[in-house]
């Protein structure tokens, strides 16, 4: 018995979940991004050789680091919000405020990190 | 008029693999925060005299393994090859693989519903997790 769904993919994509939906999507992308990054990273340093060097040059590129850092930071901050709201369900009432707080924490840290990454990469 | 309870007692709710993993994902997330803060503390002590840069601090923070900071300007890595940091590194490996691969499994199961495929994916998940954990912990204790 497979699961019966009453919503198709196209309808699903039209769901307007606003802020909370956005965090769900970004959390998912972030989590998958870290899994893929860590898996290829470990394989690369395990294998070494030309393939390993190739992967490492990609990882050291500033554009790649900006993306990975977005994934990791967002996943970590949003993950903490999920854990807190899940373990104290009463707080769910304040989910929207919690999400705004999250962005308030995320943006300054991410901006500083991007500046540092770009300065090291482009300015030397 | 009595209101119908919206909660179910824990014994009636039942307890299976997914309930366990739901709790585990949250607890492992907290545990990784703890590990990262301990790693951050180590990295700050490690780089205090050498102006260690942000990227290198983060390298130690997420993977406190001497090999992970090889090409940095730490004068002497020997004091950091202790059993304590091997245990910290192993803890991160164990939490990250189980949390991350179960996350991958739950994303796949959101889109793939064929029961036989799901069973195959679950078996693959258990095997993959065991193998990745073994490789990770092996690296921690042999490097
Ligand atoms: C942007 C961040 C990162 C950079 C720049 C980086 C860089 C490196 C480098 C250069 C090596 C090779 C070390 C050597 O053998 O000389 C390495 C190895 C490794 N990294 Fe990373 N890494 C990063 C993030 C991570 C993360 C987040 C994890 C795990 C959660 C991780 C896990 C590992 C492991 C397990 C090895 C193999 C260590 C060994 O062979 O002993 N790294 N990394
Ligand atoms: C401090 C670090 C972390 C925190 C606080 C955290 C938190 C969380 C939480 C609470 C969830 C459950 C989301 C849900 O059920 O809707 C989750 C899912 C997930 N995590 Fe993490 N996590 C962390 C690190 C990691 C790492 C290192 C990886 C990869 C190795 C990872 C990969 C994933 C994946 C793939 C999912 C599934 C995403 C989904 O179901 O949409 N996470 N994380």
């Amino acid at each position: 018995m497979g699961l019966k769904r009453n919503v198709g993919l196209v309808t699903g994509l039209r769901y307007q979940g606003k802020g909370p939906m956005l965090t769900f999507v970004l959390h998912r992308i972030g989590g998958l991004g870290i899994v893929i990054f860590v898996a290829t990273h470990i394989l690369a340093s395990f294998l070494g050789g030309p393939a390993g060097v190739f992967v490492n040059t990609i990882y050291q590129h500033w554009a790649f680091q900006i993306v990975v850092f977005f994934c990791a930071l967002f996943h970590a901050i949003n993950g903490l919000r999920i854990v807190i709201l899940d373990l104290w369900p009463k707080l769910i009432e304040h989910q929207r405020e919690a999400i705004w707080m999250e962005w308030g924490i995320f943006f300054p840290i991410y901006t500083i990190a991007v500046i540092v990454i770009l300065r090291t990469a482009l300015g030397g | 008029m009595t209101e119908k309870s919206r909660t179910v007692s824990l014994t009636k709710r039942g307890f299976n693999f997914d309930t366990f993993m739901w709790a585990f994902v949250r607890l492992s997330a907290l545990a990784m925060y703890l590990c990262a803060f301990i790693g951050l503390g180590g990295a700050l002590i490690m780089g205090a005299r050498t102006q260690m840069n942000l990227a290198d601090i983060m390298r130690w923070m997420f993977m406190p393994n001497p090999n992970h900071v090889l090409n940095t300007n730490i004068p002497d890595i020997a004091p950091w090859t202790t059993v304590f940091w091997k245990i910290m590194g192993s803890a991160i490996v164990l939490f990250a693989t189980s949390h991350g691969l179960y996350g991958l499994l739950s994303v796949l199961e959101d889109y793939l519903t064929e029961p036989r495929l799901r069973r195959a994916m679950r078996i693959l998940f258990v095997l993959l997790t065991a193998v990745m954990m073994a490789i990770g912990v092996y690296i921690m204790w042999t490097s």
Side-chain angles (χ1 to χ4, degrees):
Chain A
M1 181 195 73
L3 282 183
K4 290 270 183 294
R5 281 168 193 273
N6 50 14
V7 171
L9 180 61
V10 178
T11 324
L13 286 177
R14 281 212 299 262
Y15 172 64
Q16 300 194 325
K18 307 245 170 71
M21 175 69 176
L22 179 67
T23 64
F24 162 74
V25 172
L26 291 180
H27 193 79
R28 183 151 275 197
I29 294 174
L32 290 178
I34 308 170
V35 167
I36 293 168
F37 167 68
V38 172
T40 49
H41 174 61
I42 292 175
L43 271 180
S45 55
F46 210 56
L47 298 176
V53 172
F54 174 67
V55 173
N56 275 339
T57 50
I58 298 179
Y59 286 177
Q60 276 151 15
H61 197 273
W62 56 268
F64 184 85
Q65 297 195 337
I66 286 177
V67 175
V68 167
F69 194 71
F70 182 92
C71 291
L73 188 66
F74 186 84
H75 191 90
I77 294 177
N78 189 54
L80 190 59
R81 194 262 308 170
I82 296 176
V83 172
I84 293 172
L85 294 192
D86 273 0
L87 296 185
W88 287 274
K90 283 210 173 97
L91 296 178
I92 273 290
E93 256 184 65
H94 307 293
Q95 168 158 260
R96 272 168 202 279
E97 290 80 354
I99 288 173
W100 283 115
M101 220 157 84
E102 223 179 87
W103 288 113
I105 298 169
F106 178 86
F107 270 117
I109 300 181
Y110 188 63
T111 313
I112 292 173
V114 167
I115 293 173
V116 169
I117 291 173
L118 287 180
R119 283 236 314 246
T120 353
L122 306 179
Chain B
M1 203 170 71
T2 51
E3 220 175 288
K4 193 163 177 282
S5 171
R6 304 223 300 189
T7 54
V8 164
S9 77
L10 282 183
T11 42
K12 269 198 207 135
R13 197 198 170 290
F15 194 75
N16 57 17
F17 177 68
D18 295 286
T19 317
F20 174 78
M21 286 310 284
W22 179 88
F24 179 81
V25 163
R26 275 133 193 89
L27 295 179
S28 62
L30 285 180
M32 282 190 283
Y33 255 99
L34 185 65
C35 292
F37 277 118
I38 295 174
L40 176 63
L44 291 176
I45 296 170
M46 181 184 247
R49 276 167 298 148
T50 52
Q51 302 277 319
M52 197 189 209
N53 66 34
L54 180 68
D56 295 345
I57 286 179
M58 289 197 3
R59 270 208 223 172
W60 184 266
M61 190 170 158
F62 289 111
M63 186 37 66
N65 179 284
N67 270 339
H68 209 228
V69 286
L70 271 190
N71 300 315
T72 59
N73 57 359
I74 293 142
D76 182 15
I77 197 68
W80 300 93
T81 58
T82 56
V83 171
F84 173 76
W85 288 109
K86 285 186 202 296
I87 293 175
M88 289 308 300
S90 309
I92 293 188
V93 164
L94 296 180
F95 286 130
T97 41
S98 47
H99 174 107
L101 288 176
Y102 181 74
L104 187 62
L105 178 71
S106 41
V107 172
L108 288 175
E109 289 197 340
D110 271 357
Y111 305 106
L112 304 173
T113 54
E114 162 65 30
R116 270 203 317 222
L117 183 62
R118 280 191 164 191
R119 189 146 55 240
M121 288 195 308
R122 292 199 156 207
I123 294 170
L124 198 65
F125 156 73
V126 172
L127 290 179
L128 206 60
T129 309
V131 171
M132 294 299 283
M133 281 177 169
I135 294 178
V137 172
Y138 175 82
I139 291 176
M140 287 306 122
W141 291 89
T142 52
S143 61

